[in-house]
C-alpha cells in the first residue's frame, strides 16, 4: 500500500514555508519547564507538533480532496475492496453517525430503525438526534438473558425476524444496525443477518469496531462483515490495530450509499482533521497490509498461551463459550474466568500483578490482545495470571462498588440512559419505562461491582 498522506505531509514540511497559518503552535517546540524537567510526554508532543499541519491551498483538504488525500482514499478503497472507504478522526462514533444519517437521508419517509440489542449507545444517540424511533432486535438467547449485553449470542433468529417482517411495515424503517464482534469477540452470522435485512429491503450497517484486524488474517477474515454482504461497516483502528485512540474507518460496500456517506462525513467530522492522526491511520493500514502473516502468527501465539494456561491447571482459566458462539469468535480476544469468582475480583487480582484488563463482566474478564503483543508480553501475562489465581480465596473476593443512593423503581420513567461502560449498550433508554427485568439487571451489575451510569 502506497503511503500518500505521509509523503504529502513530509513534502510540505520540506519546502520550509514560514507558518503564517494554523495551528497556533507553528510547528515549534513549546520549550516549557516540564520538558526541561525531562517529561517524555511533552517531548513527544513537541515532535508531533513539528508535523501537525492543516488544510491549506498548498497541502490538501481531506473533506474536499484533490491531491494526496484523494490518492490516499483510493488506495484505502483498494486494500478493503470497498466502493468507498474513509478515515475518521472522531472515532467509530462518527462513522456510526454518518452511516445512520446516510441511510435515513436515502429514505426520508422512513422514521424507524432496527437496532441489535447489544449495539453501542452511539446508535441510540444519533437516532434520537435525527428523530428516528429505535426498534430493538433481540438476539438468539439459547437460554441466556437476551437483554444482557454481556450475554448476546452469535445471531439474530430467522423465525423471529420473519415474524417481525409480517407484522410491521418495513417501508417505515431506514436500516438495520448490528454489532459484530462484541466485547467478548463473538461475531454474528453477518451473512445470514444481511440476507434477512435485504429481504426486508433494508441496508445493513455493521459496527465492527472491535474487528478491524480480522480482514488481515487469512484464518479469521471470514468473520469480517466486509466479506459477508454488509452495506456499511465501521471499524475502530485504535482497538485492535497499531493506531492512536480516536482513529477509525468507515467502509461503504454498497455503491448506492457512497455519496450519502461521503456527504454525512463532511457534515459530522471536524473541518480541521488532524493530519498526524490521518498519517497514523494510513501507516497502520499500510503496515497491516504489508505484514498480513503477522496476524496469523499472533493468532497462533494466543492459542499457545491458552494451551499453556490450561496445562498449568491455573484457577483462572479460559472462559468457556458454547460451540456455536465459539465457532464464530475472534480467537485473539482473551476471556478469563474462575469458578465462583466475580469478574471484578479477577480484575482486581490482576491489577495487583500489574495487568490492566479491558473489561470485567459479571463472571469473567476481557483482555484485548493485538499483533503488537510479543512473546515477552504473553510470558509476563501468564506469570501474572498464575500469581493472581493463587491470591483468590475460596469466596471469590467479590467486591461491591458504592453506588449513588438513587432508587430505581419498577414502572418509573428513566430520566437518563442507564448503561454500564464498557460495553456501553443501554439497559434502559431515556424516556423508557423501567420494568422488573431492568431493575434485576441493574441490581446484578451493582452486586458484581460494576459502575452503572445514569442512575
Amino acid at each position: 500500500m502506497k503511503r500518500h498522506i505521509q509523503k504529502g505531509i513530509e513534502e510540505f514540511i520540506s519546502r520550509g514555508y514560514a507558518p503564517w497559518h494554523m495551528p497556533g503552535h507553528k510547528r515549534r517546540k513549546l520549550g516549557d519547564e516540564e520538558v526541561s524537567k525531562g517529561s517524555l510526554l511533552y517531548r513527544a508532543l513537541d515532535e508531533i507538533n513539528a508535523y501537525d499541519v492543516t488544510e491549506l491551498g498548498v497541502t490538501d483538504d481531506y473533506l474536499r480532496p484533490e491531491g494526496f488525500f484523494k490518492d490516499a482514499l483510493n488506495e484505502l478503497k483498494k486494500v478493503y475492496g470497498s466502493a468507498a472507504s474513509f478515515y475518521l478522526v472522531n472515532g467509530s462514533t462518527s462513522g456510526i453517525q454518518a452511516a445512520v444519517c446516510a441511510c435515513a437521508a436515502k429514505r426520508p419517509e422512513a422514521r424507524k430503525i432496527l437496532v441489535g440489542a447489544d449495539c453501542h449507545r452511539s446508535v441510540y444517540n444519533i437516532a434520537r438526534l435525527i428523530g428516528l424511533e429505535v426498534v430493538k432486535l433481540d438476539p438468539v438467547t439459547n437460554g441466556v438473558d437476551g437483554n444482557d449485553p454481556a450475554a448476546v449470542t452469535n445471531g439474530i433468529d430467522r423465525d423471529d425476524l420473519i415474524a417481525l417482517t409480517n407484522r410491521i411495515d418495513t417501508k417505515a424503517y431506514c436500516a438495520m444496525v448490528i454489532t459484530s464482534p462484541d466485547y467478548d469477540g463473538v461475531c454474528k452470522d453477518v451473512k445470514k443477518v444481511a440476507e434477512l435485512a435485504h429481504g426486508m429491503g433494508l441496508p445493513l450497517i455493521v459496527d465492527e469496531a472491535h474487528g478491524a484486524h480480522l480482514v488481515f488474517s487469512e484464518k479469521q477474515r471470514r468473520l469480517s462483515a466486509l466479506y459477508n454482504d454488509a452495506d456499511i461497516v465501521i471499524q475502530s483502528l485504535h482497538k485492535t490495530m497499531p493506531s492512536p485512540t480516536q482513529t477509525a474507518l468507515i467502509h461503504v460496500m454498497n455503491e448506492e450509499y457512497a455519496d450519502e456517506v461521503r456527504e454525512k462525513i463532511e457534515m459530522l467530522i471536524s473541518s480541521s482533521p488532524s493530519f498526524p492522526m490521518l498519517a497514523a491511520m494510513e501507516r497502520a493500514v499500510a503496515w497491516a497490509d504489508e505484514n498480513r502473516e503477522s496476524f496469523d502468527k499472533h493468532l497462533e501465539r494466543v492459542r499457545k498461551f491458552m494451551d499453556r494456561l490450561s496445562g498449568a491447571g491455573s484457577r483462572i482459566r479460559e472462559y468457556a463459550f458454547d460451540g456455536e458462539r465459539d465457532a464464530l469468535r475472534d480467537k485473539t480476544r482473551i476471556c478469563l474466568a474462575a469458578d465462583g469468582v466475580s469478574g471484578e475480583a479477577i480484575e482486581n487480582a490482576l491489577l495487583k500483578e500489574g495487568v490492566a484488563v479491558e473489561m470485567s463482566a459479571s463472571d469473567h474478564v476481557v483482555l484485548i490482545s493485538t499483533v503488537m503483543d510479543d512473546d515477552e508480553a504473553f510470558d509476563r501475562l501468564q506469570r501474572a495470571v498464575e500469581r493472581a489465581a493463587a491470591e483468590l480465596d475460596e469466596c471469590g473476593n467479590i467486591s461491591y462498588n458504592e453506588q449513588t443512593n438513587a432508587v430505581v423503581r419498577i414502572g418509573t420513567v428513566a430520566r437518563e440512559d442507564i448503561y454500564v461502560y464498557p460495553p456501553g449498550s443501554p439497559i434502559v433508554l431515556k424516556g423508557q419505562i423501567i420494568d422488573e427485568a431492568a431493575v434485576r439487571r441493574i441490581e446484578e451489575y451493582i452486586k458484581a461491582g460494576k459502575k452503572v451510569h445514569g442512575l
Side-chain angles (χ1 to χ4, degrees):
M1 175 179 171
K2 296 178 181 177
R3 308 187 188 206
H4 296 286
I5 299 175
Q6 172 204 349
K7 292 178 180 177
I9 294 173
E10 290 180 344
E11 181 180 342
F12 171 78
I13 296 294
S14 69
R15 293 174 187 170
Y17 291 114
W20 293 99
H21 54 74
M22 297 184 290
H25 54 63
K26 300 302 183 80
R27 304 198 307 277
R28 296 178 182 274
K29 296 180 180 180
L30 235 55
D32 50 354
E33 186 178 351
E34 290 301 316
V35 173
S36 64
K37 290 179 180 178
S39 171
L40 296 179
L41 171 61
Y42 281 15
R43 287 182 183 179
L45 290 174
D46 277 344
E47 294 299 321
I48 293 172
N49 285 351
Y51 291 88
D52 186 18
V53 298
T54 188
E55 63 283 348
L56 301 166
V58 288
T59 56
D60 195 10
D61 185 344
Y62 177 68
L63 296 179
R64 296 293 177 93
E66 296 179 352
F68 63 84
F69 277 131
K70 183 177 181 179
D71 294 334
L73 292 178
N74 284 332
E75 196 74 23
L76 190 65
K77 184 170 66 172
K78 290 178 187 176
V79 171
Y80 289 95
S82 63
S85 290
F86 304 94
Y87 294 109
L88 302 170
V89 295
N90 299 54
S92 282
T93 292
S94 62
I96 289 169
Q97 291 171 338
V100 172
C101 287
C103 292
K106 291 285 286 185
R107 299 161 179 258
E109 74 289 348
R111 304 313 302 159
K112 296 182 180 181
I113 187 166
L114 286 169
V115 177
D118 61 336
C119 279
H120 189 266
R121 60 194 298 264
S122 58
V123 180
Y124 297 88
N125 287 341
I126 190 60
R128 185 180 296 149
L129 279 171
I130 64 175
L132 293 179
E133 178 187 341
V134 171
V135 176
K136 274 190 178 183
L137 282 169
D138 288 329
V140 178
T141 58
N142 294 334
V144 201
D145 180 4
N147 290 315
D148 184 353
V152 171
T153 59
N154 64 295
I156 305 242
D157 186 80
R158 180 184 296 271
D159 293 336
D160 286 350
L161 250 183
I162 292 173
L164 178 67
T165 307
N166 291 335
R167 71 172 185 267
I168 66 173
D169 178 10
T170 56
K171 293 181 180 179
Y173 293 81
C174 66
M176 182 187 296
V177 188
I178 63 171
T179 298
S180 179
D182 61 16
Y183 255 88
D184 287 340
V186 178
C187 298
K188 305 285 191 302
D189 187 339
V190 178
K191 187 175 285 292
K192 184 179 80 171
V193 178
E195 179 186 343
L196 294 167
H198 296 157
M200 299 171 71
L202 301 177
L204 177 65
I205 301 170
V206 179
D207 177 357
E208 196 172 80
H210 283 267
H213 61 295
L214 294 173
V215 297
F216 298 105
S217 168
E218 185 67 30
K219 294 180 179 178
Q220 295 215 112
R221 63 184 303 179
R222 65 181 179 82
L223 298 174
S224 175
L226 295 177
Y227 305 110
N228 287 288
D229 300 332
D231 295 282
I232 305 174
V233 181
I234 300 98
Q235 299 174 332
S236 284
L237 282 180
H238 71 93
K239 286 181 169 64
T240 60
M241 293 273 283
S243 189
T245 298
Q246 210 171 312
T247 57
L249 301 173
I250 182 169
H251 307 290
V252 185
M253 308 307 290
N254 185 339
E255 180 70 42
E256 180 183 348
Y257 296 92
D259 289 340
E260 285 290 352
V261 168
R262 183 180 294 107
E263 178 184 293
K264 297 306 180 285
I265 289 172
E266 186 174 336
M267 293 170 61
L268 290 165
I269 75 167
S270 169
S271 59
S272 300
S274 165
F275 278 30
M277 286 178 70
L278 290 165
M281 286 187 272
E282 179 186 60
R283 181 190 188 195
V285 174
W287 182 90
D289 185 46
E290 296 159 4
N291 293 275
R292 290 174 181 263
E293 71 283 353
S294 297
F295 289 85
D296 284 333
K297 287 179 181 177
H298 173 63
L299 188 65
E300 181 65 16
R301 187 178 288 124
V302 175
R303 187 193 66 78
K304 288 180 178 178
F305 165 75
M306 289 301 192
D307 287 347
R308 291 202 311 269
L309 192 64
S310 175
S314 170
R315 184 180 181 190
I316 298 178
R317 48 168 176 74
E318 183 176 7
Y319 185 68
F321 292 88
D322 64 50
E324 191 174 12
R325 295 185 77 199
D326 193 59
L328 286 173
R329 197 171 75 84
D330 167 23
K331 297 302 174 63
T332 69
R333 189 58 52 98
I334 299 173
C335 298
L336 303 176
D339 292 336
V341 180
S342 72
E344 194 191 15
I346 300 172
E347 178 183 15
N348 290 337
L350 287 171
L351 273 174
K352 291 178 182 178
E353 300 304 328
V355 172
V357 305
E358 171 64 23
M359 180 184 80
S360 63
S362 58
D363 60 349
H364 67 283
V365 294
V366 177
L367 292 78
I368 294 180
S369 77
T370 78
V371 72
M372 293 291 103
D373 291 311
D374 56 16
D375 290 334
E376 182 181 350
F378 278 96
D379 289 342
R380 179 183 176 187
L381 176 59
Q382 182 167 3
R383 291 192 296 270
V385 168
E386 291 172 354
R387 290 194 298 266
E391 293 175 5
L392 291 174
D393 62 28
E394 294 182 359
C395 296
N397 294 338
I398 297 176
S399 57
Y400 296 84
N401 283 340
E402 288 295 326
Q403 297 277 318
T404 65
N405 291 323
V407 177
V408 183
R409 294 188 180 91
I410 296 172
T412 57
V413 176
R415 297 189 210 174
E416 304 289 343
D417 288 347
I418 301 175
Y419 63 97
V420 174
Y421 189 85
S425 304
I427 303 168
V428 182
L429 291 172
K430 179 180 178 180
Q432 286 188 336
I433 295 174
I434 300 172
D435 59 19
E436 183 179 355
V439 172
R440 185 169 62 251
R441 287 183 57 214
I442 291 167
E443 290 175 345
E444 288 173 355
Y445 276 129
I446 292 173
K447 289 179 180 178
K450 306 298 291 181
K451 175 64 176 176
V452 181
H453 299 270
L455 292 183

